Amino acid sequence: MNLVIILHAGLATGTILLFAAIGEVFSERAGILNLGVEGMMLMGAMAGFSTSLATNSAWMGLFAAILAGGVLSLAHGLVSIHFQADQVVSGLSLTFLGTGLALVLGEGLTGQNPPLVPSFDIPGLAAIPFVGPVFFADHSLLVYFGYLFAPAAWYFVYKTRPGMHLRAVGEKPEAADTMGINVYGLRYLYTFVGGCLAGLAGATISLSVSPGWYSSQTTSGQGWIAVGLVIFAQWDPLRAALGGYLFGAIRRGILDLQGPRTLLGFTNPLFINSNFGFFLQMTPYLLTILALVIGSRAAMRKRLGAPAALGVPYIRGERGL
């Protein structure tokens, strides 16, 4: 088990969670709980892969993936914003819809080899001992983009006027409406942005980190992990990014713990006990379930700093929270 390899792979895998989790942060900051991240990621993975194959361009594949996730998210926006339906039910339905569409439209894609997003070293920085091989060597362009995107998202949410409007819509939509902020329009916008980033996360899998189309196993539940990360991160983009990288490293470390050798070269006893290995693989998902249970309790959500109007439909003229 090599620490550099684990951290390098963790950054790549964590980039998937980074895009999905930050997209969900935007959506939930606007007051819209979207549990359809898994379905939107799967649609993004399929749309990106198939479009890249058809157009012979990975960039067109990324664009198609972003658009597919965004368009699918608008179905959730219509149901939860316009019709004020239960957001949990709508989000779960979106997961089923996205999964079903991806499986049907992705029929026959397995085994194909489309153009992929390029990977490369950053000259100079890649030569820095330890840091270079981990952060700046042989990474996809999307990984490097993630380094910049996470702090940019944090700055947008906390340091800009549009970010202040976003937080106002999720905290006190009736007050935001009084100030002339278009609550319905912003909720649609950030639901769409969240869907676009979920679609990008899916394409990051199929066109970069784990190239290929493997039907429902492509995302492997990472959409649910992203939803849990938002709660652990307390709706902060930077914390969500760090959590994504941590989960990515943990997932790779779990695989290496089942190898015949440990980090120091000794025989690994876990290699013999495969049942324990299966338990280790379940750990990230158990933590996700725990996060969702905690997040479902109103008192705990308030303590964690959840947006006050999260999951609550806004109806103009009704008394606020």
Side-chain angles (χ1 to χ4, degrees):
M1 185 167 68
N2 188 300
L3 183 59
V4 171
I5 293 176
I6 290 175
L7 294 178
H8 184 276
L11 288 173
T13 305
T15 300
I16 301 167
L17 296 173
L18 179 151
F19 291 135
I22 292 180
E24 184 65 9
V25 167
F26 279 124
S27 178
E28 294 192 15
R29 278 286 182 183
I32 301 298
L33 175 64
N34 190 348
L35 297 182
V37 178
E38 181 79 5
M40 294 184 295
M41 284 179 65
L42 202 55
M43 272 295 294
M46 184 281 302
F49 189 88
S50 60
T51 303
S52 179
L53 185 66
T55 63
N56 202 36
S57 170
W59 311 116
M60 289 300 296
L62 288 178
F63 176 76
I66 291 170
L67 186 62
V71 170
L72 192 61
S73 72
L74 290 179
H76 177 62
L78 180 66
V79 172
S80 61
I81 299 171
H82 184 78
F83 294 108
Q84 289 98 36
D86 187 286
Q87 294 181 15
V88 173
V89 174
S90 176
L92 292 174
S93 301
L94 191 67
T95 290
F96 298 139
L97 175 63
T99 301
L101 285 174
L103 293 179
V104 171
L105 298 176
E107 183 71 26
L109 292 179
T110 303
Q112 303 292 326
N113 296 296
L116 304 177
V117 177
S119 296
F120 55 90
D121 298 350
I122 295 184
L125 296 178
I128 301 174
F130 186 77
V131 173
V134 171
F135 290 93
F136 305 113
D138 194 31
H139 276 305
S140 164
L141 177 65
L142 294 173
V143 175
Y144 298 128
F145 175 66
Y147 294 164
L148 302 176
F149 180 71
W154 179 89
Y155 184 85
F156 175 85
V157 171
Y158 291 107
K159 301 296 181 180
T160 67
R161 181 173 293 275
M164 181 184 69
H165 292 171
L166 165 63
R167 288 180 284 126
V169 166
E171 292 288 346
K172 285 286 185 180
E174 67 286 346
D177 199 2
T178 301
M179 294 171 58
I181 298 172
N182 187 341
V183 175
Y184 296 115
L186 285 184
R187 286 192 165 186
Y188 268 112
L189 172 63
Y190 288 109
T191 299
F192 180 74
V193 168
C196 288
L197 288 172
L200 176 60
T204 303
I205 301 174
S206 62
L207 294 179
S208 177
V209 176
S210 301
W213 171 247
Y214 311 103
S215 68
S216 61
Q217 299 303 312
T218 300
T219 53
S220 301
Q222 292 182 80
W224 297 109
I225 294 178
V227 173
L229 275 178
V230 173
I231 299 171
F232 277 121
Q234 297 181 302
W235 293 266
D236 182 287
L238 271 183
R239 292 179 183 174
L242 293 175
Y245 291 141
L246 177 62
F247 263 73
I250 289 174
R251 293 187 70 192
R252 176 52 192 254
I254 287 172
L255 292 175
D256 283 11
L257 277 173
Q258 298 172 66
R261 294 288 175 180
T262 65
L263 182 63
L264 299 177
F266 298 106
T267 300
N268 185 357
L270 299 181
F271 181 67
I272 301 173
N273 191 344
S274 60
N275 290 329
F276 190 74
F278 291 136
F279 174 78
L280 288 175
Q281 293 178 32
M282 286 168 29
T283 304
Y285 303 100
L286 292 176
L287 293 175
T288 303
I289 293 172
L290 176 62
L292 292 174
V293 170
I294 293 173
S296 67
R297 300 181 58 186
M300 185 62 71
R301 279 171 51 185
K302 185 175 181 180
R303 187 179 306 171
L304 290 173
L310 178 60
V312 181
Y314 175 63
I315 304 175
R316 181 172 291 163
E318 284 199 352
R319 194 168 186 174
L321 296 173

